[in-house]
Amino acid sequence: MYIYQCISEGFLYQKNLNLATIKQSIHYMPLDLQNLTGGYSITPIVENINLSLETGEWLSLVGANGSGKSTLLKLLSRILTPQQGYVLLDGKVIHTEPAQLIAQKLALLPQQQTIPSGLTVRQLVSLGRTPHQPWWQWELNSQDREKVEAAIMQTRLDKLRDRSVENLSGGERQRAFLALALAQEPKVLLLDEPTTYLDINYQLQLLELLRELNQQQNLTIVTVLHELNLAARYSSRIALLKQGQLWDVGTPKQVLTNEAIAQVFGVESVIIETPVGLQVCAISSV
């Protein structure tokens, strides 16, 4: 039995509960930000961010240049250490947990990847199984090989599995690194400007693929996107950032108003309903 104390109507009392019952009743958000502040020096870039994500949600971080989008994503991915506050993954502070355990639940697709020399697509994707292997295991077991093959199939790279990563097009390379992330079997996938350097065709291909993963696997996704209309089209919710502060968060219809766009981006706009949902047409600088 587990004894806990709580305060009700001014009185302190104790109650005995079975520990298993308590654990079953606790609902952890897959990702929870509490008073998160951080940056690259003693001067914070983002401050006092409070935000929670539900399982299977797609959240896009948007804002003007220098608003703190990528800095916030680096705090979520452990690249940066918070100056204040916490990032919780399944109820545990990620910056105090072993890196290998976090990598089993959270994956990052950075804006710019280091392209490994001589690796094939299959070899690159295989690296995603590293967090699930003990340090002494060098070869993939049958389960690891199945996960690698599944990630290759999910990203439609089956015809390119034996091709060198260096010889892929920009869109194919982005899918290869996405497959690497998926091979980790993450609950949460972070992507920093994944459509940068891609033409519109590859942008839509990649985001449609992410939508499939989000809906079919209940994968929680956080993206940094510069293109506001793509964020509106694909995201469950949008977080507007301005000068390191969380300006607003909600569904695209809730937050993408003329007033908010003028305040956050400094442009006058017209909101248009289209067959793919709400879209923003910028008219002029404010």
Side-chain angles (χ1 to χ4, degrees), residues 143-193:
Q143 183 181 20
D144 290 327
R145 288 193 292 271
E146 289 177 4
K147 299 298 183 182
V148 169
E149 186 63 22
I152 289 173
M153 296 300 292
Q154 286 171 338
T155 50
R156 305 182 182 98
L157 290 169
D158 47 301
K159 294 181 181 180
L160 301 173
R161 58 166 62 87
D162 295 318
R163 183 175 297 183
S164 171
V165 178
E166 296 171 288
N167 295 330
L168 298 178
S169 68
E172 292 166 346
R173 188 178 302 149
Q174 193 76 318
R175 281 190 285 141
F177 279 95
L178 174 59
L180 164 62
L182 294 177
Q184 292 178 226
E185 293 185 283
K187 292 184 177 181
V188 179
L189 178 62
L190 311 177
L191 303 101
D192 190 4
E193 300 185 26

Side-chain angles (χ1 to χ4, degrees), residues 40 70 73-81 94-95 108 110:
Y40 302 93
S70 292
L73 202 73
K74 288 177 181 177
L75 288 164
L76 301 186
S77 60
R78 287 175 46 124
I79 293 175
L80 294 177
T81 300
I94 66 169
H95 292 87
L108 169 69

Side-chain angles (χ1 to χ4, degrees), residues 79-270:
I79 293 175
L80 294 177
T81 300
Q83 299 168 2
Q84 177 182 309
Y86 305 97
V87 178
L88 285 80
L89 179 66
D90 286 341
K92 296 182 179 180
V93 178
I94 66 169
H95 292 87
T96 59
E97 288 289 297
Q100 184 175 8
L101 294 181
I102 297 300
Q104 292 173 6
K105 298 181 179 182
L106 184 147
L108 169 69
L109 185 63
Q111 181 179 354
Q112 293 182 330
Q113 304 93 7
T114 301
I115 302 173
S117 177
L119 282 189
T120 65
V121 169
R122 189 203 307 267
Q123 290 170 330
L124 175 70
V125 178
S126 297
L127 297 176
R129 298 305 301 163
T130 303
H132 298 274
Q133 296 175 304
W135 64 267
W136 63 84
Q137 182 179 333
W138 291 87
E139 299 294 331
L140 298 181
N141 59 32
S142 58
Q143 183 181 20
D144 290 327
R145 288 193 292 271
E146 289 177 4
K147 299 298 183 182
V148 169
E149 186 63 22
I152 289 173
M153 296 300 292
Q154 286 171 338
T155 50
R156 305 182 182 98
L157 290 169
D158 47 301
K159 294 181 181 180
L160 301 173
R161 58 166 62 87
D162 295 318
R163 183 175 297 183
S164 171
V165 178
E166 296 171 288
N167 295 330
L168 298 178
S169 68
E172 292 166 346
R173 188 178 302 149
Q174 193 76 318
R175 281 190 285 141
F177 279 95
L178 174 59
L180 164 62
L182 294 177
Q184 292 178 226
E185 293 185 283
K187 292 184 177 181
V188 179
L189 178 62
L190 311 177
L191 303 101
D192 190 4
E193 300 185 26
T195 57
T196 301
Y197 310 125
L198 299 182
D199 63 34
I200 187 62
N201 180 37
Y202 279 124
Q203 288 181 21
L204 293 177
Q205 284 186 28
L206 179 65
L207 292 173
E208 287 293 337
L209 175 57
L210 288 173
R211 174 182 276 173
E212 288 180 19
L213 296 168
N214 171 247
Q215 295 178 347
Q216 296 175 7
Q217 300 185 18
N218 214 26
L219 180 65
T220 303
I221 296 176
V222 181
T223 48
V224 170
L225 288 174
H226 263 303
E227 177 51 62
L228 194 56
N229 285 326
L230 292 177
R233 178 172 176 172
Y234 289 99
S235 310
S236 310
R237 286 196 300 161
I238 289 177
L240 293 177
L241 293 171
K242 181 180 180 181
Q243 297 178 350
Q245 303 284 336
L246 183 60
W247 180 268
D248 198 5
V249 61
T251 66
K253 284 189 176 182
Q254 289 172 334
V255 303
L256 295 181
T257 64
N258 299 118
E259 180 183 358
I261 293 169
Q263 291 288 337
V264 173
F265 293 95
V267 296
E268 182 183 352
S269 62
V270 174

